[in-house]
Amino acid sequence: MAPFGLFRRRPHERAGFALYTAAVTAARGPALFGEEGVPDTLEGRFDLVALHAALLVRRLRRDPDPRGAALAQAVFDAMFADMDLNLREMGVGDMSIGKRVRTMWEAFHGRALAYEAALETGDAAALEGALARNVWGGAAPEGAAARLAAHAAALDAGLAGQPFARFLAGEAAFAGAAA
């Protein structure tokens, strides 16, 4: 056994990475991109990963199981470990990694709060507006923000209907939505 738990995994770490990977896979769906969809840019991809991860974290935090919050944190941790790794692979210098990850965290947090508020109240127009601001800087192609908002609402409902045991096993289905 390693001294002081040096190589010990954090609770739900494996499931968190598996769930985050499911969110990233869903966010890369080709139907979400294109002329009338999300721009296929670094920023556009970040926005879709942030949306899918935020929906997943929302579902986990809302679960009555006391492990929900810890599993949500594990997904969040996996996301930002991946962001750190991606920045390093893109050649960003070590001295600026922390600042860039913090900027990404702040962007994610703001988006997650806006999406949560709109979904919580069932305000489709607010969700559409938040997505238009974040994904397209307010100038979304005709109907694109509405389609993405409908997609997000469908995913939110689909995640809500999945049993918590699946999430603990690292499984999440991002189904029931069409972009």
Side-chain angles (χ1 to χ4, degrees), residues 21-35:
T21 299
V24 169
T25 300
R28 289 183 176 162
L32 297 169
F33 298 95
E35 286 183 28

PDB file of all heavy atoms in Angstrom, residues 21-35:
ATOM      1  N   THR A  21     -16.627  11.706 -20.446  1.00  0.00           N
ATOM      2  CA  THR A  21     -16.369  11.202 -21.792  1.00  0.00           C
ATOM      3  C   THR A  21     -17.671  11.030 -22.562  1.00  0.00           C
ATOM      4  O   THR A  21     -17.741  11.357 -23.758  1.00  0.00           O
ATOM      5  CB  THR A  21     -15.597   9.868 -21.725  1.00  0.00           C
ATOM      6  OG1 THR A  21     -14.343  10.113 -21.072  1.00  0.00           O
ATOM      7  CG2 THR A  21     -15.346   9.285 -23.098  1.00  0.00           C
ATOM      8  N   ALA A  22     -18.727  10.560 -21.900  1.00  0.00           N
ATOM      9  CA  ALA A  22     -20.030  10.434 -22.554  1.00  0.00           C
ATOM     10  C   ALA A  22     -20.560  11.802 -22.968  1.00  0.00           C
ATOM     11  O   ALA A  22     -21.131  11.963 -24.061  1.00  0.00           O
ATOM     12  CB  ALA A  22     -21.025   9.731 -21.632  1.00  0.00           C
ATOM     13  N   ALA A  23     -20.355  12.805 -22.123  1.00  0.00           N
ATOM     14  CA  ALA A  23     -20.796  14.165 -22.449  1.00  0.00           C
ATOM     15  C   ALA A  23     -20.020  14.716 -23.647  1.00  0.00           C
ATOM     16  O   ALA A  23     -20.606  15.329 -24.549  1.00  0.00           O
ATOM     17  CB  ALA A  23     -20.630  15.084 -21.239  1.00  0.00           C
ATOM     18  N   VAL A  24     -18.721  14.489 -23.684  1.00  0.00           N
ATOM     19  CA  VAL A  24     -17.894  14.960 -24.798  1.00  0.00           C
ATOM     20  C   VAL A  24     -18.310  14.261 -26.091  1.00  0.00           C
ATOM     21  O   VAL A  24     -18.440  14.905 -27.139  1.00  0.00           O
ATOM     22  CB  VAL A  24     -16.388  14.740 -24.518  1.00  0.00           C
ATOM     23  CG1 VAL A  24     -15.551  14.978 -25.764  1.00  0.00           C
ATOM     24  CG2 VAL A  24     -15.929  15.643 -23.387  1.00  0.00           C
ATOM     25  N   THR A  25     -18.542  12.973 -26.020  1.00  0.00           N
ATOM     26  CA  THR A  25     -18.972  12.225 -27.199  1.00  0.00           C
ATOM     27  C   THR A  25     -20.280  12.787 -27.740  1.00  0.00           C
ATOM     28  O   THR A  25     -20.423  13.003 -28.944  1.00  0.00           O
ATOM     29  CB  THR A  25     -19.114  10.728 -26.860  1.00  0.00           C
ATOM     30  OG1 THR A  25     -17.836  10.243 -26.419  1.00  0.00           O
ATOM     31  CG2 THR A  25     -19.579   9.928 -28.062  1.00  0.00           C
ATOM     32  N   ALA A  26     -21.217  13.062 -26.858  1.00  0.00           N
ATOM     33  CA  ALA A  26     -22.498  13.631 -27.284  1.00  0.00           C
ATOM     34  C   ALA A  26     -22.306  15.028 -27.863  1.00  0.00           C
ATOM     35  O   ALA A  26     -22.955  15.397 -28.851  1.00  0.00           O
ATOM     36  CB  ALA A  26     -23.466  13.673 -26.108  1.00  0.00           C
ATOM     37  N   ALA A  27     -21.405  15.801 -27.275  1.00  0.00           N
ATOM     38  CA  ALA A  27     -21.156  17.169 -27.735  1.00  0.00           C
ATOM     39  C   ALA A  27     -20.495  17.209 -29.104  1.00  0.00           C
ATOM     40  O   ALA A  27     -20.530  18.236 -29.775  1.00  0.00           O
ATOM     41  CB  ALA A  27     -20.293  17.913 -26.718  1.00  0.00           C
ATOM     42  N   ARG A  28     -19.899  16.122 -29.504  1.00  0.00           N
ATOM     43  CA  ARG A  28     -19.231  16.062 -30.810  1.00  0.00           C
ATOM     44  C   ARG A  28     -20.154  15.560 -31.919  1.00  0.00           C
ATOM     45  O   ARG A  28     -19.693  15.348 -33.038  1.00  0.00           O
ATOM     46  CB  ARG A  28     -18.005  15.166 -30.716  1.00  0.00           C
ATOM     47  CG  ARG A  28     -16.903  15.788 -29.906  1.00  0.00           C
ATOM     48  CD  ARG A  28     -15.680  14.913 -29.887  1.00  0.00           C
ATOM     49  NE  ARG A  28     -14.602  15.574 -29.171  1.00  0.00           N
ATOM     50  CZ  ARG A  28     -13.545  14.947 -28.703  1.00  0.00           C
ATOM     51  NH1 ARG A  28     -13.417  13.647 -28.878  1.00  0.00           N
ATOM     52  NH2 ARG A  28     -12.610  15.604 -28.064  1.00  0.00           N
ATOM     53  N   GLY A  29     -21.414  15.378 -31.620  1.00  0.00           N
ATOM     54  CA  GLY A  29     -22.359  14.895 -32.625  1.00  0.00           C
ATOM     55  C   GLY A  29     -22.361  15.796 -33.850  1.00  0.00           C
ATOM     56  O   GLY A  29     -22.581  17.006 -33.727  1.00  0.00           O
ATOM     57  N   PRO A  30     -22.129  15.234 -35.037  1.00  0.00           N
ATOM     58  CA  PRO A  30     -22.036  16.052 -36.250  1.00  0.00           C
ATOM     59  C   PRO A  30     -23.298  16.870 -36.534  1.00  0.00           C
ATOM     60  O   PRO A  30     -23.212  17.948 -37.125  1.00  0.00           O
ATOM     61  CB  PRO A  30     -21.789  15.041 -37.367  1.00  0.00           C
ATOM     62  CG  PRO A  30     -21.524  13.742 -36.722  1.00  0.00           C
ATOM     63  CD  PRO A  30     -21.911  13.833 -35.293  1.00  0.00           C
ATOM     64  N   ALA A  31     -24.440  16.411 -36.115  1.00  0.00           N
ATOM     65  CA  ALA A  31     -25.693  17.131 -36.373  1.00  0.00           C
ATOM     66  C   ALA A  31     -25.742  18.474 -35.643  1.00  0.00           C
ATOM     67  O   ALA A  31     -26.541  19.338 -36.000  1.00  0.00           O
ATOM     68  CB  ALA A  31     -26.883  16.270 -35.966  1.00  0.00           C
ATOM     69  N   LEU A  32     -24.905  18.662 -34.635  1.00  0.00           N
ATOM     70  CA  LEU A  32     -24.907  19.909 -33.874  1.00  0.00           C
ATOM     71  C   LEU A  32     -24.136  21.031 -34.572  1.00  0.00           C
ATOM     72  O   LEU A  32     -24.275  22.192 -34.221  1.00  0.00           O
ATOM     73  CB  LEU A  32     -24.311  19.678 -32.482  1.00  0.00           C
ATOM     74  CG  LEU A  32     -25.088  18.720 -31.594  1.00  0.00           C
ATOM     75  CD1 LEU A  32     -24.276  18.361 -30.349  1.00  0.00           C
ATOM     76  CD2 LEU A  32     -26.416  19.322 -31.212  1.00  0.00           C
ATOM     77  N   PHE A  33     -23.331  20.665 -35.551  1.00  0.00           N
ATOM     78  CA  PHE A  33     -22.479  21.624 -36.241  1.00  0.00           C
ATOM     79  C   PHE A  33     -23.019  21.910 -37.641  1.00  0.00           C
ATOM     80  O   PHE A  33     -23.976  21.320 -38.083  1.00  0.00           O
ATOM     81  CB  PHE A  33     -21.043  21.087 -36.334  1.00  0.00           C
ATOM     82  CG  PHE A  33     -20.396  20.873 -34.998  1.00  0.00           C
ATOM     83  CD1 PHE A  33     -20.416  19.634 -34.380  1.00  0.00           C
ATOM     84  CD2 PHE A  33     -19.794  21.927 -34.335  1.00  0.00           C
ATOM     85  CE1 PHE A  33     -19.827  19.441 -33.137  1.00  0.00           C
ATOM     86  CE2 PHE A  33     -19.197  21.745 -33.090  1.00  0.00           C
ATOM     87  CZ  PHE A  33     -19.226  20.492 -32.497  1.00  0.00           C
ATOM     88  N   GLY A  34     -22.392  22.817 -38.340  1.00  0.00           N
ATOM     89  CA  GLY A  34     -22.769  23.103 -39.717  1.00  0.00           C
ATOM     90  C   GLY A  34     -23.229  24.533 -39.892  1.00  0.00           C
ATOM     91  O   GLY A  34     -23.194  25.340 -38.961  1.00  0.00           O
ATOM     92  N   GLU A  35     -23.684  24.845 -41.100  1.00  0.00           N
ATOM     93  CA  GLU A  35     -24.088  26.206 -41.429  1.00  0.00           C
ATOM     94  C   GLU A  35     -25.182  26.739 -40.518  1.00  0.00           C
ATOM     95  O   GLU A  35     -25.216  27.920 -40.209  1.00  0.00           O
ATOM     96  CB  GLU A  35     -24.545  26.278 -42.887  1.00  0.00           C
ATOM     97  CG  GLU A  35     -23.402  26.213 -43.870  1.00  0.00           C
ATOM     98  CD  GLU A  35     -23.874  26.355 -45.297  1.00  0.00           C
ATOM     99  OE1 GLU A  35     -24.910  26.995 -45.533  1.00  0.00           O
ATOM    100  OE2 GLU A  35     -23.189  25.809 -46.174  1.00  0.00           O
TER     101      GLU A  35
END
